[in-house]
Amino acid sequence: MEVVLEQNSPTLASLKVTLTKDDYQPKIDKTIKDYSKKVNLKGFRPGKVPSHVIQRMYGKSILVDEVNNLLSTAVSSYIRENKLQVVGDPVPNRDKAAEVNWDSPSELEFSYDLGVATDFDVNFSELPAVKRYTINVDDAELSKTIESLRERFAENIHPEVSEEGDMIFGELKQESSEFTTRTAIPTKQLKPEALAKFIGVKKDDVITFDINDTFSDEAAIAHVTGKKKEDIGTLSGEFTLVVEDVTRSAASELNQDLFDKVLGVGQVENEEQFNEKLLEIIKGNYERETEALLRRDIENALLESINIELPGDFLKDWLERTNEGKFTREQIEEQFEDFKKSLKLSLIKNKVADRESVKVEYPEILEFTRNMVKGQFGIYGDDDNMKETIDRVAQGYLADKERDNYTNVFNQVFDNKVMDIIRSQVSTDEQTIEVSEFEKLAKGEEVAA
């Protein structure tokens, strides 16, 4: 077997593979022998079909399969062993393949078109310093978070008299149409001019109102009456609500019950400890966000500092061919710049990973998934009672082959490990900013120097 690379341009190459009979015939002979032992044909005892019969019936298809297997291995091995920066997939030269005489083969020649990225170095010392931000988390931010948590874990109370924001339950009637239903009216969905009728009411009070002049939109009317939106037009005139109950969402008290709900049972014992733990979590959350911003800026710095040329037309043709029916050529053209950036970043990271011998082990994948599950469930602390549940959910998530979750998490962990290496070698310009300034930066907005 002979494999020869011809570089046609900095980003295009051809890989020519020549197979002799000595390369493929032994594999064909073995396969035919295996077939003769397994194939059942009339007139022959099982396992006793002569080889020349197998050759006559299946020889050509066996030849094609074995040659294709050899070609696939030869091409991938050559690319891997010579560390070619191949982008997209090797494309078989159809004209060359059409010349092959499968009926009387001897020496077989095949050619593949390759798209390649130009060679490059990753030298972190040449990168300019990237700004790294530390967010000033003050008492105001802590108070804001506490109020948010109190609202999140709010409890329902039943006051005697209604106020704005309450939910009023009762029986809704319209005597002229004999309409009646039990419902709940959220005062938040009332028009400002109609709100007064629903404030200061108590159980057994009767509220009379015009259905079309009371609610902020048709969706609210549909919700209150139980009607479909398309049937709202049939409703008009005065309705009455006989009040049965008033419900109010009351912010949770700052007590041990809230502490346990937020952090896990027994994690803290008083408000001071709660504030300290919460402040630690807030700072940790912002640190993750600043690291995400730093990561974005480092990636941009890598793209700006490292020159990599790509075979544009080759890649567009490849994307159109591999995504046939999913994307038009126009859509590929529109999104191609983003695709190029992603591909260049992948090439850079893979070179760093290869240089640093980056590996990902299963315990790392499982730990990443555990933390992801905790984040989705809003679990702040390390509640021992939840660990078993979290592990079960994490393992189930990774076992979902239909969504290929394991591969997706593997790629995230791999990417994070590579970025940690890059992060440790890129110089940074440390700056402290306020929360409001960081929010602007995260949106890509400029902030005052």
Side-chain angles (χ1 to χ4, degrees):
M1 180 190 304
E2 183 181 39
V3 183
V4 178
L5 178 71
E6 291 186 2
Q7 194 80 34
N8 304 321
S9 76
T11 58
L12 294 173
S14 296
L15 201 61
K16 293 186 178 181
V17 183
T18 304
L19 301 177
T20 66
K21 203 160 187 174
D22 290 339
D23 295 318
Y24 59 80
Q25 193 62 48
K27 295 180 179 294
I28 292 172
D29 293 341
K30 182 179 183 304
T31 303
I32 288 175
K33 188 176 181 180
D34 292 340
Y35 266 49
S36 66
K37 294 177 182 179
K38 299 175 183 177
V39 173
N40 290 321
L41 292 177
K42 287 183 179 180
F44 299 96
R45 285 182 295 164
K48 298 295 183 179
V49 181
S51 294
H52 70 271
V53 176
I54 300 296
Q55 173 66 41
R56 186 175 66 249
M57 297 182 67
Y58 304 107
K60 188 173 180 178
S61 63
I62 292 173
L63 170 64
V64 172
D65 287 344
E66 293 299 340
V67 167
N68 281 334
N69 289 335
L70 280 170
L71 289 171
S72 176
T73 301
V75 171
S76 59
S77 297
Y78 186 91
I79 291 171
R80 182 177 62 255
E81 291 167 6
N82 291 276
K83 297 184 178 181
L84 300 182
Q85 297 279 4
V86 172
V87 291
D89 295 320
V91 179
N93 186 309
R94 296 185 184 278
D95 294 335
K96 197 71 176 175
E99 296 173 3
V100 174
N101 185 352
W102 296 103
D103 294 316
S104 56
S106 55
E107 187 174 89
L108 305 176
E109 291 185 1
F110 300 87
S111 180
Y112 293 83
D113 295 327
L114 304 180
V116 293
T118 53
D119 196 22
F120 61 92
D121 291 320
V122 181
N123 189 343
F124 297 117
S125 64
E126 294 179 355
L127 264 64
V130 180
K131 290 181 180 179
R132 183 188 183 281
Y133 300 99
T134 298
I135 298 176
N136 180 32
V137 180
D138 54 16
D139 290 341
E141 189 66 20
L142 175 63
S143 298
K144 180 181 173 182
T145 302
I146 291 174
E147 289 308 308
S148 176
L149 289 169
R150 291 182 64 203
E151 292 294 330
R152 176 179 168 184
F153 293 97
E155 299 176 351
N156 288 331
I157 61 173
H158 303 276
E160 291 187 6
V161 181
S162 67
E163 296 179 359
E164 184 176 352
D166 290 348
M167 185 83 74
I168 302 175
F169 292 82
E171 186 177 27
L172 183 65
K173 301 179 182 179
Q174 186 182 44
E175 294 183 6
S176 61
S177 64
E178 297 184 349
F179 171 87
T180 181
T181 187
R182 304 181 75 80
T183 190
I185 296 180
T187 56
K188 291 180 180 179
Q189 294 184 2
L190 302 176
K191 291 181 179 179
E193 58 270 25
L195 184 61
K197 289 185 177 182
F198 295 82
I199 301 301
V201 300
K202 57 186 182 300
K203 184 179 179 181
D204 297 328
D205 281 354
V206 178
I207 307 171
T208 301
F209 58 91
D210 187 295
I211 194 77
N212 292 314
D213 294 336
T214 300
F215 296 95
S216 56
D217 54 40
E218 290 186 347
I221 298 176
H223 174 75
V224 168
T225 60
K227 295 277 189 180
K228 295 180 180 178
K229 285 186 72 174
E230 55 266 29
D231 297 332
I232 296 303
T234 64
L235 298 174
S236 62
E238 286 194 340
F239 283 68
T240 60
L241 178 75
V242 180
V243 179
E244 296 177 359
D245 185 41
V246 177
T247 299
R248 183 177 302 159
S249 179
S252 176
E253 294 294 325
L254 200 58
N255 54 25
Q256 189 64 46
D257 184 50
L258 177 64
F259 304 159
D260 290 345
K261 286 178 180 177
V262 173
L263 300 175
V265 177
Q267 294 297 305
V268 297
E269 297 178 352
N270 53 52
E271 185 176 343
E272 182 179 356
Q273 292 178 0
F274 178 69
N275 288 349
E276 289 176 359
K277 188 69 174 177
L278 206 56
L279 194 60
E280 179 183 323
I281 292 168
I282 295 169
K283 289 180 178 179
N285 288 340
Y286 275 125
E287 185 173 347
R288 281 190 289 275
E289 291 189 39
T290 55
E291 283 298 315
L293 179 60
L294 175 63
R295 175 185 180 131
R296 185 190 75 184
D297 292 344
I298 287 175
E299 289 179 342
N300 288 336
L302 290 169
L303 288 172
E304 291 172 5
S305 302
I306 300 174
N307 182 42
I308 306 174
E309 291 183 40
L310 297 174
D313 290 338
F314 177 92
L315 285 171
K316 290 173 187 176
D317 291 341
W318 173 70
L319 287 169
E320 188 174 11
R321 185 170 57 253
T322 55
N323 294 285
E324 186 177 4
K326 296 180 182 178
F327 301 102
T328 65
R329 185 71 176 205
E330 291 72 21
Q331 290 173 319
I332 290 171
E333 292 282 358
E334 289 173 4
Q335 300 174 31
F336 191 66
E337 284 304 313
D338 289 335
F339 172 78
K340 277 174 50 179
K341 288 181 181 179
S342 177
L343 180 55
K344 287 181 180 180
L345 275 174
S346 179
L347 291 168
I348 293 168
K349 290 175 183 178
N350 286 340
K351 177 158 282 194
V352 173
D354 185 58
R355 189 170 71 193
E356 301 290 338
S357 301
V358 174
K359 294 181 180 178
V360 175
E361 306 292 345
Y362 180 76
E364 298 172 297
I365 294 172
L366 182 59
E367 183 61 23
F368 180 91
T369 310
R370 284 194 190 108
N371 291 330
M372 183 176 67
V373 171
K374 288 173 67 175
Q376 289 174 343
F377 282 92
I379 300 170
Y380 291 102
D382 296 316
D383 187 348
D384 289 336
N385 297 325
M386 288 295 294
K387 284 183 178 179
E388 185 177 342
T389 301
I390 291 168
D391 278 0
R392 186 170 63 252
V393 173
Q395 290 166 0
Y397 179 85
L398 291 173
D400 189 341
K401 295 181 179 178
E402 184 177 343
R403 294 182 176 85
D404 205 12
N405 291 337
Y406 184 91
T407 300
N408 293 333
V409 174
F410 176 96
N411 290 337
Q412 290 181 68
V413 174
F414 173 84
D415 196 61
N416 288 342
K417 292 188 78 170
V418 175
M419 282 304 298
D420 285 344
I421 292 170
I422 295 173
R423 163 74 179 84
S424 68
Q425 298 185 44
V426 172
S427 60
T428 56
D429 176 14
E430 304 291 328
Q431 298 188 9
T432 300
I433 59 174
E434 301 300 319
V435 173
S436 59
E437 293 177 302
F438 173 76
E439 289 172 348
K440 289 181 180 178
L441 286 169
K443 294 177 183 177
E445 301 175 8
E446 294 291 334
V447 297

